[in-house]
Amino acid sequence: MAFTEFRPLDEKSLVDYIKFVPALFSKLGNNLDGLTIKEVGDGNLNFVYIVAGPSGSFVIKQALPYIRCIGESWPMTKERAYFEALALKEQGHWSPDHVPEVYHFDRTMSLIGMRYLEPPHIILRKGLIAGIEYPLLAEHISDYMAKTLFHTSLLYHSTTDHKHAVAEFCGNLELCRLTEQVVFSDPYKVSQYNRWTTPYLDHDAEAVREDNALKVEIGELKSKFIERAQALIHGDLHTGSVMVTLESTQVIDPEFAFYGPIGFDVGAFIGNLILAYFSQDGHADGGNDRKSYKEWILRTIADTWNLFQKKFIALWDEHKDGSGEAYLPAIYNNSEVQHLVQKRYVEDLFHDTLGFGAAKMIRRVVGVAHVEDFESISDAKKRASCERRALDMAKLLLKERKKFHAIDQIVTAMQQVA
Amino acid sequence: MAFTEFRPLDEKSLVDYIKFVPALFSKLGNNLDGLTIKEVGDGNLNFVYIVAGPSGSFVIKQALPYIRCIGESWPMTKERAYFEALALKEQGHWSPDHVPEVYHFDRTMSLIGMRYLEPPHIILRKGLIAGIEYPLLAEHISDYMAKTLFHTSLLYHSTTDHKHAVAEFCGNLELCRLTEQVVFSDPYKVSQYNRWTTPYLDHDAEAVREDNALKVEIGELKSKFIERAQALIHGDLHTGSVMVTLESTQVIDPEFAFYGPIGFDVGAFIGNLILAYFSQDGHADGGNDRKSYKEWILRTIADTWNLFQKKFIALWDEHKDGSGEAYLPAIYNNSEVQHLVQKRYVEDLFHDTLGFGAAKMIRRVVGVAHVEDFESISDAKKRASCERRALDMAKLLLKERKKFHAIDQIVTAMQQVA
Ligand SMILES: Nc1ncnc2c1ncn2[C@@H]1O[C@H](COP(=O)(O)OP(=O)(O)O)[C@@H](O)[C@H]1O
Ligand SMILES: Nc1ncnc2c1ncn2[C@@H]1O[C@H](COP(=O)(O)OP(=O)(O)O)[C@@H](O)[C@H]1O
Ligand SMILES: [Mg+2]
Ligand SMILES: [Mg+2]
Ligand SMILES: [Mg+2]
Ligand SMILES: [Mg+2]
Ligand SMILES: [Mg+2]
């Protein structure tokens, strides 16, 4: 059976497909005996199959031309698989330790074959809900972010390379539009897709829709999200796009990748750690009050930012006489000016990070897609109380972000709220 | 003779070309009798021919694969003609009164046929040097800028349209790179191309190359120039790209067009008016002290900005329920929030305008390409004194731009310098 046209696969037809693709078949030792195939997609958009045999394994991810969790009523280009594969390869090139290897990509089938992140890898969000500390998380994720974002920015790119890449990823506009809608628009207006913990947060949701000062900020960030081609960003870097063990951190699912503001990635990750923090009281019980776990989350937030900025700047210093065309060495030719431009760059990035992070938090409380951190708190009143603190924190960050100058101030502000 | 491959034309071969192109030949009434062809390109990059016969006329502009004023030693893609033609058509669509009509475009030949802007049209810069007041200039240029920039921004575009257009104009990267070099880089470093009125400005040129605070600002603007796809900008909107009579204002030469920051266009125009202002003392003589002309320039600067922002905002109000996806009407649904976002947008635009305008001024004093406003002051010492005041003003604007909030403050600052 040939696969010359797109069709959705299932556990059965996937076997035929694998036989047809040497790059995949060979991973199984060209042998289908004892093969197991299991669909495990718990994400919102796509189908993910774990394929495992006695001599090898891989994961197959296929995009269908609609959004899985909504259904065919919300069409979405399956070309997103093309951009996901492109991004996985680029990010894997710069951060091979933290990105699963791509074995195979089939544009016609909107299908990616990649390394199976075998157990005990779990989705980070689930680990955060379970209260598991990941001692290397900040180190790893800061490494991934610094490397992938630095090397695709003008600090490393020639402007020629940059514009070619920007133009290519303009093609991923349908996914950008989805973010524009669900992150930057829907939470601030009446939308059929919005939901929140009712009736407790009815007033809070309404307040978001009537907060003019908030709308000014989200409007500025929305335009920046669309206009500012600063680096190849993952575009969906929440804690559900990271798989972890105690020793390993792997970033999956960059189907929203495009050239956008760096702070959108850093903010997504940190914003989701802040959500995890505010959800902890909902998971506390007699056996575990989650107090020390909350401290660990706070430390991880601070470490993530501090390590990220340190590594990003170290890459900048390392490559300051290199290919990047934003700051030419003949101009930025003394350590004082080098220090000043880096300070300016990082300050701007910090404010973007807070703003975008806050935007990602707000939409998880009053928008279409919620997070398991809160959803798994079954007592609605308790859940609402956690969500409200997260929401209030996010509103503060979005409106007042330019008044903050260090991550410690964010940690302090969080401790004051809860 | 066919023209199936690129070749540079001259007055003679152009006749053959015209015969071959009905869109042009018909403009002459399909008749070559009494035809005159004259090369008039006084610009830096291309060849421009005025073609006039008894029953019609047009201009032919051809790009050669190098920069005319430097020669074949500085290669430059002739594909710039494609982007110039695209931009002329788009800008002409939105502002037909202020853009010459395109009659013909030949990509193979990198050749544009367009309306001949007949005498008494002259290049605005020459009119400013001659001390001629153009009572409609601010009205017209603000109209052109407001219309072309608004309608190609996210205030009018869907994000889909925007990203398609952004991707297309990423192709004009060689011209963008030229701007990056000559505006944002060369003046701030030692470069074989830089020149200035020596020996008078030797110290001033050196001071620019050693001013760390200035380098921080120009670095930020350079990245913004490359990264921020805010609207389809002309990209070279100095007073040498505008042809005028007392009643007419026509914007030519958008070969540098791409999706960039709006303030780069507005700043280019206003920055060049500021240069014209500071050059006036060099043109004063017994018969005309240029005092009242300087007042007119100041008024024109203020009017240009004020009318531009008024018209831009009026277009925004008019289209607030339209196709633009940056500020959705369901969110920006009351006049207070509408006012707040517009205020934020315009404030940001004002600061970009000052910064980019200042950058364009600096490069005209210490960079590769100077302006006739100063070059035509034959007394080098007098010229240097005019240039120094312009340079000092520009440095102030670049460094302190965020402290200014209205164009009147710029006018006042200019009056204090000279
Ligand atoms: N390479 C992989 N190894 C192991 N599990 C994976 C891998 N990729 C995806 N998964 C599992 O599939 C789920 C959905 O994958 P994801 O790429 O996030 O899809 P979606 O785009 O639909 O969100 C993940 O949450 C994870 O549990
Ligand atoms: N449409 C036109 N009508 C009349 N003169 C024109 C026209 N276009 C260009 N010119 C003349 O040719 C000169 C160079 O044109 P321009 O488009 O600025 O070329 P360049 O890209 O080389 O700067 C202008 O300064 C002007 O004098
Ligand atoms: Mg996912
Ligand atoms: Mg690259
Ligand atoms: Mg996904
Ligand atoms: Mg010109
Ligand atoms: Mg030109």
Side-chain angles (χ1 to χ4, degrees):
Chain A
M1 186 192 294
F3 295 86
T4 51
E5 273 185 9
F6 175 81
R7 60 192 180 101
L9 292 176
D10 55 26
E11 280 87 345
K12 202 172 154 305
S13 52
L14 186 50
V15 180
D16 297 325
Y17 183 80
I18 291 164
K19 277 192 285 190
F20 169 81
V21 177
L24 297 175
F25 199 31
S26 64
K27 284 272 161 203
L28 304 174
N30 297 313
N31 177 3
L32 297 175
D33 297 342
L35 195 67
T36 63
I37 298 188
K38 210 175 124 198
E39 209 283 318
V40 296
D42 62 347
N44 290 325
L45 267 68
N46 303 289
F47 290 80
V48 175
Y49 302 87
I50 294 170
V51 179
S55 26
S57 65
F58 50 82
V59 151
I60 294 289
K61 178 170 179 177
Q62 187 178 35
L64 267 46
Y66 56 84
I67 293 179
R68 178 181 185 168
C69 68
I70 309 264
E72 307 199 22
S73 67
W74 194 330
M76 184 54 57
T77 175
K78 54 187 168 51
E79 269 291 275
R80 62 187 185 267
Y82 170 72
F83 293 101
E84 176 164 355
L86 261 190
L88 278 173
K89 287 179 210 165
E90 180 82 11
Q91 291 158 350
H93 177 73
W94 297 116
S95 185
D97 291 347
H98 304 299
V99 179
E101 188 186 343
V102 174
Y103 300 144
H104 169 66
F105 174 62
D106 181 336
R107 193 163 183 173
T108 303
M109 290 288 285
S110 300
L111 179 153
I112 301 169
M114 71 182 110
R115 176 186 159 198
Y116 169 42
L117 299 165
E118 67 293 340
H121 278 102
I122 59 167
I123 287 288
L124 171 59
R125 194 185 298 285
K126 293 188 190 287
L128 294 167
I129 294 166
I132 303 168
E133 294 186 18
Y134 294 96
L136 298 175
L137 178 61
E139 194 68 66
H140 287 169
I141 199 77
S142 62
D143 216 66
Y144 165 86
M145 293 193 300
K147 285 177 178 159
T148 60
L149 297 168
F150 175 85
H151 288 103
T152 58
S153 79
L154 288 164
L155 300 171
Y156 184 82
H157 271 172
S158 70
T159 58
T160 301
D161 289 348
H162 203 70
K163 295 242 171 186
H164 282 304
V166 169
E168 165 95 296
F169 276 93
C170 276
N172 204 17
L173 66 89
E174 279 199 48
L175 280 276
C176 290
R177 284 169 64 83
L178 181 55
T179 301
E180 290 157 28
Q181 177 181 344
V182 300
V183 175
F184 296 101
S185 296
D186 278 358
Y188 305 89
K189 68 196 246 307
V190 174
S191 160
Q192 58 167 313
Y193 299 108
N194 289 342
R195 55 192 194 80
W196 54 84
T197 301
T198 187
Y200 306 101
L201 298 184
D202 288 1
H203 175 74
D204 301 79
E206 193 187 354
V208 168
R209 296 194 302 269
E210 292 182 353
D211 189 332
N212 286 347
L214 203 64
K215 291 178 177 184
V216 174
E217 301 304 332
I218 199 71
E220 184 176 304
L221 289 178
K222 181 178 178 183
S223 289
K224 188 177 272 192
F225 176 78
I226 306 168
E227 293 171 351
R228 186 174 192 187
Q230 195 177 13
L232 178 62
I233 66 174
H234 178 285
D236 197 23
L237 192 54
H238 56 83
T239 50
S241 295
V242 181
M243 296 190 74
V244 285
T245 68
L246 293 183
E247 295 87 27
S248 163
T249 305
Q250 303 291 328
V251 180
I252 60 171
D253 197 13
E255 65 190 320
F256 286 81
F258 76 111
Y259 276 75
I262 291 176
F264 192 79
D265 269 6
V266 186
F269 188 77
I270 288 180
N272 274 269
L273 286 184
I274 301 177
L275 293 178
Y277 175 85
F278 285 108
S279 76
Q280 292 301 318
D281 289 354
H283 302 303
D285 57 29
N288 185 346
D289 64 8
R290 298 280 178 130
K291 283 225 168 74
S292 87
Y293 194 61
K294 284 170 75 174
E295 291 300 320
W296 176 79
I297 297 181
L298 290 179
R299 279 200 309 283
T300 301
I301 289 171
D303 289 351
T304 296
W305 171 260
N306 289 329
L307 288 168
F308 165 73
Q309 77 158 56
K310 200 179 100 185
K311 291 173 186 193
F312 192 91
I313 293 298
L315 285 168
W316 187 338
D317 285 336
E318 183 188 336
H319 292 280
K320 74 182 165 51
D321 302 325
S323 49
E325 289 188 325
Y327 297 92
L328 302 181
I331 301 174
Y332 300 89
N333 54 1
N334 62 75
S335 58
E336 188 200 309
V337 75
Q338 178 75 352
H339 175 73
L340 288 173
V341 294
Q342 291 178 339
K343 198 169 153 245
R344 172 77 64 97
Y345 195 101
V346 168
E347 175 99 356
D348 177 57
L349 190 46
F350 186 60
H351 293 146
D352 273 8
T353 295
L354 298 181
F356 287 120
K360 302 275 270 178
M361 290 168 66
I362 292 170
R363 72 95 155 208
R364 295 298 195 177
V365 177
V366 298
V368 53
H370 286 223
V371 287
E372 202 180 327
D373 311 63
F374 293 127
E375 295 299 284
S376 57
I377 301 167
S378 52
D379 178 337
K381 195 170 167 186
K382 198 192 264 182
R383 178 167 75 245
S385 146
C386 292
E387 290 176 318
R388 180 178 296 116
R389 277 174 288 157
L391 182 62
D392 289 344
M393 183 73 211
K395 285 166 67 172
L396 173 78
L397 290 181
L398 189 44
K399 288 188 207 177
E400 308 291 345
R401 64 191 183 281
K402 298 214 171 127
K403 295 190 181 138
F404 293 96
H405 301 283
I407 195 75
D408 291 350
Q409 297 170 320
I410 307 303
V411 168
T412 305
M414 287 171 65
Q415 284 168 319
Q416 278 159 6
V417 177
Chain B
M1 186 192 294
F3 294 86
T4 50
E5 275 185 9
F6 176 79
R7 59 191 180 102
L9 292 177
D10 56 26
E11 280 87 345
K12 202 171 155 305
S13 53
L14 186 50
V15 179
D16 297 326
Y17 184 81
I18 291 164
K19 277 192 284 191
F20 169 82
V21 178
L24 297 175
F25 200 31
S26 65
K27 282 275 163 201
L28 304 173
N30 297 313
N31 178 2
L32 297 175
D33 298 341
L35 194 68
T36 62
I37 299 188
K38 211 175 123 196
E39 209 283 319
V40 295
D42 63 348
N44 291 325
L45 268 68
N46 304 290
F47 289 81
V48 176
Y49 302 87
I50 295 170
V51 178
S55 25
S57 64
F58 49 81
V59 151
I60 294 290
K61 179 172 180 178
Q62 188 178 34
L64 268 45
Y66 56 84
I67 294 180
R68 178 181 185 168
C69 68
I70 308 263
E72 307 199 21
S73 67
W74 194 330
M76 184 53 55
T77 175
K78 55 189 168 50
E79 270 291 274
R80 63 187 186 265
Y82 170 71
F83 294 102
E84 176 164 353
L86 262 191
L88 278 172
K89 287 179 209 164
E90 180 81 12
Q91 291 157 349
H93 178 73
W94 297 115
S95 185
D97 291 347
H98 304 299
V99 179
E101 187 186 342
V102 174
Y103 300 144
H104 169 67
F105 173 62
D106 181 336
R107 193 162 183 174
T108 304
M109 290 287 285
S110 299
L111 179 154
I112 301 169
M114 71 181 110
R115 177 187 158 198
Y116 169 41
L117 299 166
E118 66 295 338
H121 278 101
I122 58 167
I123 287 290
L124 172 57
R125 193 185 298 286
K126 292 186 190 290
L128 294 167
I129 294 165
I132 302 168
E133 293 185 19
Y134 294 96
L136 298 175
L137 177 61
E139 194 68 68
H140 286 170
I141 199 77
S142 62
D143 216 67
Y144 164 86
M145 294 192 300
K147 285 177 177 159
T148 59
L149 297 168
F150 175 85
H151 287 103
T152 58
S153 79
L154 288 163
L155 301 170
Y156 184 81
H157 273 173
S158 70
T159 58
T160 302
D161 290 347
H162 202 70
K163 295 243 174 185
H164 282 305
V166 169
E168 164 95 298
F169 276 94
C170 277
N172 203 19
L173 66 90
E174 280 199 47
L175 281 277
C176 290
R177 282 169 64 84
L178 181 55
T179 300
E180 289 157 28
Q181 177 181 344
V182 299
V183 176
F184 295 101
S185 297
D186 279 356
Y188 304 89
K189 68 195 245 310
V190 174
S191 159
Q192 56 166 316
Y193 299 110
N194 288 342
R195 53 191 194 82
W196 54 83
T197 302
T198 188
Y200 307 102
L201 297 184
D202 288 0
H203 175 74
D204 301 79
E206 193 188 353
V208 167
R209 294 194 304 269
E210 294 183 353
D211 189 333
N212 286 348
L214 202 65
K215 290 178 179 185
V216 174
E217 301 303 333
I218 200 70
E220 182 175 306
L221 289 178
K222 182 178 177 182
S223 289
K224 188 177 270 192
F225 176 78
I226 306 169
E227 293 171 352
R228 186 174 192 187
Q230 194 177 15
L232 178 62
I233 66 174
H234 178 285
D236 197 23
L237 193 53
H238 57 82
T239 50
S241 295
V242 181
M243 296 189 74
V244 285
T245 68
L246 292 182
E247 295 87 29
S248 165
T249 305
Q250 302 292 327
V251 179
I252 60 171
D253 196 13
E255 65 190 320
F256 285 81
F258 75 111
Y259 275 75
I262 291 178
F264 192 78
D265 269 6
V266 186
F269 189 77
I270 287 179
N272 274 269
L273 286 184
I274 300 177
L275 292 178
Y277 175 84
F278 285 108
S279 76
Q280 292 301 318
D281 290 353
H283 302 303
D285 59 29
N288 186 346
D289 65 7
R290 299 280 179 129
K291 281 223 169 75
S292 87
Y293 193 61
K294 284 169 74 175
E295 291 300 319
W296 176 80
I297 297 179
L298 290 179
R299 280 201 308 281
T300 301
I301 289 170
D303 289 351
T304 296
W305 172 260
N306 289 328
L307 288 168
F308 165 73
Q309 77 158 57
K310 200 179 102 187
K311 291 173 186 192
F312 192 91
I313 293 299
L315 285 167
W316 188 339
D317 285 336
E318 183 188 334
H319 292 281
K320 75 182 165 50
D321 303 325
S323 49
E325 288 187 326
Y327 297 93
L328 302 182
I331 302 173
Y332 300 89
N333 55 1
N334 62 75
S335 58
E336 188 200 309
V337 74
Q338 178 75 356
H339 175 74
L340 288 173
V341 293
Q342 292 179 339
K343 199 169 152 246
R344 171 78 64 98
Y345 195 101
V346 168
E347 175 99 354
D348 177 56
L349 191 44
F350 186 60
H351 293 147
D352 273 9
T353 295
L354 298 182
F356 287 121
K360 302 275 271 179
M361 289 168 66
I362 291 170
R363 73 94 156 210
R364 295 300 196 176
V365 177
V366 298
V368 52
H370 285 224
V371 287
E372 201 181 326
D373 311 63
F374 293 127
E375 296 298 285
S376 58
I377 301 168
S378 52
D379 178 339
K381 194 170 168 187
K382 199 193 264 182
R383 179 168 74 245
S385 147
C386 292
E387 288 175 319
R388 179 178 296 118
R389 276 175 287 155
L391 182 62
D392 288 344
M393 183 73 211
K395 287 166 66 175
L396 173 79
L397 291 180
L398 189 45
K399 289 188 207 177
E400 308 291 343
R401 65 191 184 280
K402 298 214 171 126
K403 295 191 180 138
F404 293 96
H405 301 282
I407 195 75
D408 291 350
Q409 297 170 318
I410 307 302
V411 168
T412 305
M414 287 171 65
Q415 286 168 320
Q416 278 159 6
V417 178

Tab-separated table of all heavy atoms in Angstrom, chain A residues 126-143:
chain	number	residue	atom	x	y	z
A	126	LYS	N	2.715	17.106	34.813
A	126	LYS	CA	2.247	16.037	35.696
A	126	LYS	C	3.187	15.871	36.894
A	126	LYS	O	2.740	15.620	38.021
A	126	LYS	CB	2.107	14.728	34.932
A	126	LYS	CG	0.989	14.790	33.889
A	126	LYS	CD	0.703	13.427	33.263
A	126	LYS	CE	-0.236	13.557	32.065
A	126	LYS	NZ	-1.640	13.847	32.448
A	127	GLY	N	4.465	16.025	36.635
A	127	GLY	CA	5.426	15.970	37.728
A	127	GLY	C	5.215	17.097	38.728
A	127	GLY	O	5.331	16.906	39.951
A	128	LEU	N	4.903	18.276	38.215
A	128	LEU	CA	4.670	19.432	39.094
A	128	LEU	C	3.411	19.223	39.937
A	128	LEU	O	3.344	19.632	41.094
A	128	LEU	CB	4.545	20.712	38.268
A	128	LEU	CG	5.808	21.159	37.514
A	128	LEU	CD1	5.481	22.246	36.497
A	128	LEU	CD2	6.888	21.646	38.484
A	129	ILE	N	2.418	18.596	39.344
A	129	ILE	CA	1.186	18.315	40.090
A	129	ILE	C	1.461	17.265	41.168
A	129	ILE	O	0.952	17.359	42.293
A	129	ILE	CB	0.075	17.835	39.123
A	129	ILE	CG1	-0.317	18.980	38.180
A	129	ILE	CG2	-1.136	17.323	39.901
A	129	ILE	CD1	-1.145	18.554	36.979
A	130	ALA	N	2.310	16.307	40.821
A	130	ALA	CA	2.641	15.248	41.779
A	130	ALA	C	3.597	15.731	42.865
A	130	ALA	O	3.855	15.012	43.829
A	130	ALA	CB	3.249	14.056	41.033
A	131	GLY	N	4.135	16.934	42.683
A	131	GLY	CA	5.024	17.469	43.712
A	131	GLY	C	6.446	16.934	43.638
A	131	GLY	O	7.153	16.877	44.649
A	132	ILE	N	6.879	16.576	42.432
A	132	ILE	CA	8.230	16.027	42.267
A	132	ILE	C	9.230	17.162	41.972
A	132	ILE	O	8.995	17.992	41.097
A	132	ILE	CB	8.264	15.007	41.107
A	132	ILE	CG1	7.246	13.892	41.375
A	132	ILE	CG2	9.679	14.444	40.923
A	132	ILE	CD1	6.996	12.995	40.173
A	133	GLU	N	10.316	17.162	42.711
A	133	GLU	CA	11.365	18.143	42.446
A	133	GLU	C	12.304	17.636	41.358
A	133	GLU	O	12.733	16.482	41.395
A	133	GLU	CB	12.153	18.437	43.738
A	133	GLU	CG	11.293	19.128	44.775
A	133	GLU	CD	12.068	19.574	46.018
A	133	GLU	OE1	13.305	19.658	45.967
A	133	GLU	OE2	11.391	19.821	47.035
A	134	TYR	N	12.609	18.505	40.416
A	134	TYR	CA	13.546	18.162	39.345
A	134	TYR	C	14.771	19.046	39.497
A	134	TYR	O	14.771	20.191	39.060
A	134	TYR	CB	12.887	18.360	37.975
A	134	TYR	CG	11.750	17.394	37.755
A	134	TYR	CD1	10.438	17.761	38.020
A	134	TYR	CD2	12.012	16.083	37.339
A	134	TYR	CE1	9.402	16.861	37.855
A	134	TYR	CE2	10.971	15.174	37.177
A	134	TYR	CZ	9.673	15.570	37.433
A	134	TYR	OH	8.664	14.672	37.274
A	135	PRO	N	15.801	18.491	40.112
A	135	PRO	CA	16.934	19.336	40.489
A	135	PRO	C	17.670	19.956	39.299
A	135	PRO	O	18.318	20.985	39.451
A	135	PRO	CB	17.850	18.388	41.272
A	135	PRO	CG	17.389	17.010	40.951
A	135	PRO	CD	15.960	17.095	40.563
A	136	LEU	N	17.542	19.332	38.117
A	136	LEU	CA	18.283	19.845	36.956
A	136	LEU	C	17.409	20.660	36.009
A	136	LEU	O	17.874	21.127	34.971
A	136	LEU	CB	18.931	18.674	36.204
A	136	LEU	CG	19.957	17.885	37.019
A	136	LEU	CD1	20.446	16.677	36.233
A	136	LEU	CD2	21.129	18.794	37.400
A	137	LEU	N	16.157	20.814	36.371
A	137	LEU	CA	15.214	21.437	35.423
A	137	LEU	C	15.652	22.826	34.987
A	137	LEU	O	15.711	23.133	33.785
A	137	LEU	CB	13.809	21.486	36.046
A	137	LEU	CG	12.731	22.157	35.195
A	137	LEU	CD1	12.539	21.432	33.863
A	137	LEU	CD2	11.395	22.215	35.951
A	138	ALA	N	15.944	23.699	35.938
A	138	ALA	CA	16.314	25.075	35.589
A	138	ALA	C	17.582	25.088	34.740
A	138	ALA	O	17.682	25.823	33.743
A	138	ALA	CB	16.509	25.903	36.859
A	139	GLU	N	18.532	24.259	35.126
A	139	GLU	CA	19.784	24.160	34.369
A	139	GLU	C	19.507	23.739	32.918
A	139	GLU	O	20.008	24.339	31.970
A	139	GLU	CB	20.685	23.134	35.073
A	139	GLU	CG	22.125	23.127	34.648
A	139	GLU	CD	22.878	24.390	35.058
A	139	GLU	OE1	23.075	24.635	36.263
A	139	GLU	OE2	23.260	25.126	34.127
A	140	HIS	N	18.675	22.735	32.763
A	140	HIS	CA	18.415	22.198	31.423
A	140	HIS	C	17.570	23.127	30.568
A	140	HIS	O	17.881	23.371	29.407
A	140	HIS	CB	17.700	20.838	31.540
A	140	HIS	CG	18.594	19.730	31.994
A	140	HIS	ND1	18.110	18.488	32.376
A	140	HIS	CD2	19.936	19.666	32.154
A	140	HIS	CE1	19.112	17.705	32.724
A	140	HIS	NE2	20.240	18.399	32.614
A	141	ILE	N	16.485	23.607	31.133
A	141	ILE	CA	15.590	24.410	30.293
A	141	ILE	C	16.242	25.746	29.940
A	141	ILE	O	16.058	26.277	28.836
A	141	ILE	CB	14.196	24.601	30.961
A	141	ILE	CG1	13.150	25.001	29.909
A	141	ILE	CG2	14.235	25.644	32.078
A	141	ILE	CD1	12.665	23.893	29.047
A	142	SER	N	17.035	26.293	30.854
A	142	SER	CA	17.741	27.541	30.542
A	142	SER	C	18.756	27.293	29.427
A	142	SER	O	18.968	28.147	28.566
A	142	SER	CB	18.432	28.099	31.789
A	142	SER	OG	19.407	27.198	32.270
A	143	ASP	N	19.336	26.121	29.450
A	143	ASP	CA	20.275	25.755	28.395
A	143	ASP	C	19.575	25.670	27.041
A	143	ASP	O	20.040	26.238	26.044
A	143	ASP	CB	20.873	24.378	28.742
A	143	ASP	CG	22.311	24.289	28.331
A	143	ASP	OD1	23.129	25.023	28.911
A	143	ASP	OD2	22.599	23.513	27.399
